[in-house]
Amino acid sequence: MIQKTGDLKNIKGISDRDRKMIEEAEAMLGPEPSEMGFVKNLFWGNVRQELAFPYPQEPKEERDRCDAILAKLKDYLENEHPRVQIDQEEAIPDWAIKKLFSLGVMGMNIPKEYGGQGLGVTSYNRALEMIGSYCASTAVVVSAHQSIGCKALVLFGSDEQKKKWLPLLANEMLSAFSLSEPNVGCDAGGQETKCKLSEDGEYYILNGEKKWSTSGALSGMFTVMSKQIFTDEKTGKTHEAVSALICTPDMAGITVIEKNRSKCGIRGTWQARIKFKDARIPKANLLHKEGKGLVVALSCLNYGRCTLSAGMLGSAKSCMDQSIKWAQTRYQFKRPLADFELVQQKIARMAAYSYAIESTLYFTTGILDRHDKDIMVETATCKVFSSEMGWRVINDAMQIMGGEGYMTENEVERAFRDARIYLIVEGANEVMQSFIFSYGGKQLAESMLGIQAALTWNGKESLFANAARIIRHSLNFPILSRALGIAGEVFLGIRKPAPRLTGLHPDLAPWAARFEKLVQDHAYQFKKISFQVQEKIVTRGAIHARLADMAMWLHTSACVLSRLDKQLKAGSSGAAWERDRAAGLHFIDMAEHEYKNSVQALFKNPDETMLLANKAALAYSDTLPNGRFVLPERSPNAMGQGKAIKKDHIKQFPGKAAA
């Protein structure tokens, strides 16, 4: 564990609003784990090799059980599942959901003692990958049911709650998770739905509204996040925290006011809008502990980010295979498309990204299965990388197929529409980039801040206080040693030694050496830019994104190296292995190129003119009347001022009070 010597909230010069934002984020995410995970160590220039090598692998007994389920699932998806009908009619038929239950797919990660399959995260994601290759809508429904609906109960439910609900959820009943609201998306701590304990202490009185609750109108139970007010008995001061409540659609005061809305992609999924008006939720339905609801939500999102990645992977690989075959059989200028170098570039890129997504996904599920302590940055990185690179794969596939790819009957068109949502849900990628930067580099930044506070002049202190503090800490060898090391890096370019990977297959030695150098460079560049921009780094999202991308390219390269190492040591052979090997090594080349582009952009970029252009565009927008545009329904500064939206031409899914 690296000693924490500072606090980001104490950076000089940041605004009160930004300081408050940091405080709320820290409160929401909870304390740092005692041990830093793989990605956080990259920010320090370290490689915790034992976390990534050897590549994670589920037990053979579990893999065999999963293979048996997948064989039946593949037969069903290939021959019975109505994927075209689902997209066209904007609904998954009840019989299809029942079939997935009967195949055991809907209870894969529910323990056996509660009627489930008792399989791990890796096995479950293998199923999601397969479903995603046929139907993204179905993949999302299965993911929402198990990754966030059931998972909340599996992780945090009491024995009584598990006995009551899990057998139903494993075999017949859909579940949902209600976090987002009209005014709350990625800001998980900003819940406006409220709950309070009744005077007799038997119920929680719930009021508010939830939005985007996948399968909420079809579920027999859903977990609702709501703010609760707590009073400190000693001081009398109050504070708010989120509590998680298990609700059912038959409870008085709960109304599904909108079952679904028509949308661009994943059209078979239904996102409900649910209203709570003095709903009485039995105290026995409290999930986990009062005020600990965000622990439930954020823990579940770690699993949800993986399963969304699995669905994207399945779709990307399917589109890649289709477009490569098209390139080999579609002729232009008396030659197949595959003869042209720009098409070859796309084919190689699709293969490299697909291999890297798969490597990163199953590395992440592996660390979840073995219950690593610090995994939040890894799951966020997996989500950003898989959604962004999966989107690139499908976009390349569409380009190779040209006009035919755009035609509905070829199904790449549907995958193209479906894939776009993955960059938005489970934390928009821009938010996740800031999260990767902030929590990936947080401990290093706080260590640097502590050294700065210990050894530099503070204008708010007296001459004597400054001198006493600086002299005292200058005589503290650990602090002085770290300060000299950072100063040597930032001012003299004297970098700490590169980490070393040991025990890899000899064929990977050149690629491993390049990776080691980049990890060394990453720590240096983080310190250098942090010193250059000082407190401004808190609000510089463009810098956050570049540093996050640098860490992402390094992490995914490590996942690829680890998987190649595993395959090489296993004596892999054949055309599939040769494709994997070439794709993996090409990805490492591309990742290094992308990493260096991000480094260059840290210090040489168009940010200054970007900010000016943004300011001018906003000023011009201020001259346009709000009534011409669609506006957020609960906008704090323009509610009710936007134009009325016409819905007559769109299929509607009106809600109704639950039975």
Side-chain angles (χ1 to χ4, degrees), residues 630-643:
V630 176
L631 301 180
E633 60 180 292
R634 300 282 177 86
S635 170
N637 64 342
M639 189 163 60
Q641 298 177 21
K643 74 174 182 181

Side-chain angles (χ1 to χ4, degrees), residues 177-244:
F177 197 78
S178 299
L179 176 64
S180 298
E181 301 181 0
N183 248 357
V184 178
C186 296
D187 179 15
Q191 303 295 303
E192 295 179 350
T193 298
K194 309 287 186 184
C195 74
K196 65 178 181 179
L197 202 58
S198 61
E199 291 184 4
D200 61 10
E202 295 297 319
Y203 296 90
Y204 291 97
I205 310 301
L206 184 63
N207 284 281
E209 192 174 313
K210 293 293 178 178
K211 192 177 181 183
W212 312 123
S213 183
T214 296
S215 302
L218 309 170
S219 298
M221 61 81 67
F222 37 89
T223 304
V224 178
M225 298 294 140
S226 58
K227 279 282 184 72
Q228 187 176 355
I229 297 176
F230 298 92
T231 303
D232 189 307
E233 294 181 358
K234 294 181 179 179
T235 65
K237 292 183 178 180
T238 61
H239 72 281
E240 287 187 327
V242 176
S243 294

Side-chain angles (χ1 to χ4, degrees), residues 78-194:
E78 186 67 36
N79 298 304
E80 296 181 57
H81 193 62
R83 57 187 186 270
V84 174
Q85 174 191 335
I86 287 169
D87 181 64
Q88 293 177 341
E89 298 184 4
E90 302 184 56
I92 301 175
D94 288 344
W95 68 262
I97 297 294
K98 290 177 180 177
K99 181 70 174 182
L100 292 170
F101 273 112
S102 71
L103 290 170
V105 171
M106 303 300 278
M108 288 186 75
N109 66 1
I110 293 176
K112 284 185 177 181
E113 59 263 38
Y114 300 111
Q117 301 298 321
L119 294 169
V121 184
T122 297
S123 296
Y124 167 48
N125 276 266
R126 290 178 64 205
L128 262 296
E129 179 190 341
M130 180 178 286
I131 297 170
S133 69
Y134 288 88
C135 179
S137 289
T138 306
V140 170
V141 168
V142 175
S143 171
H145 171 63
Q146 288 194 80
S147 301
I148 52 180
C150 297
K151 201 66 181 181
L153 272 168
V154 171
L155 292 175
F156 298 101
S158 65
D159 290 341
E160 292 76 13
Q161 290 169 343
K162 290 178 180 179
K163 289 175 183 177
K164 179 178 181 179
W165 297 108
L166 289 181
L168 294 170
L169 298 177
N171 295 289
E172 61 184 88
M173 179 189 288
L174 276 176
S175 61
F177 197 78
S178 299
L179 176 64
S180 298
E181 301 181 0
N183 248 357
V184 178
C186 296
D187 179 15
Q191 303 295 303
E192 295 179 350
T193 298
K194 309 287 186 184

Side-chain angles (χ1 to χ4, degrees), residues 258 260-262 646-654:
E258 192 173 51
N260 185 33
R261 288 168 65 188
S262 191
K646 295 181 179 180
K647 300 181 181 180
D648 297 345
H649 62 296
I650 300 171
K651 184 176 180 178
Q652 298 298 305
F653 302 81

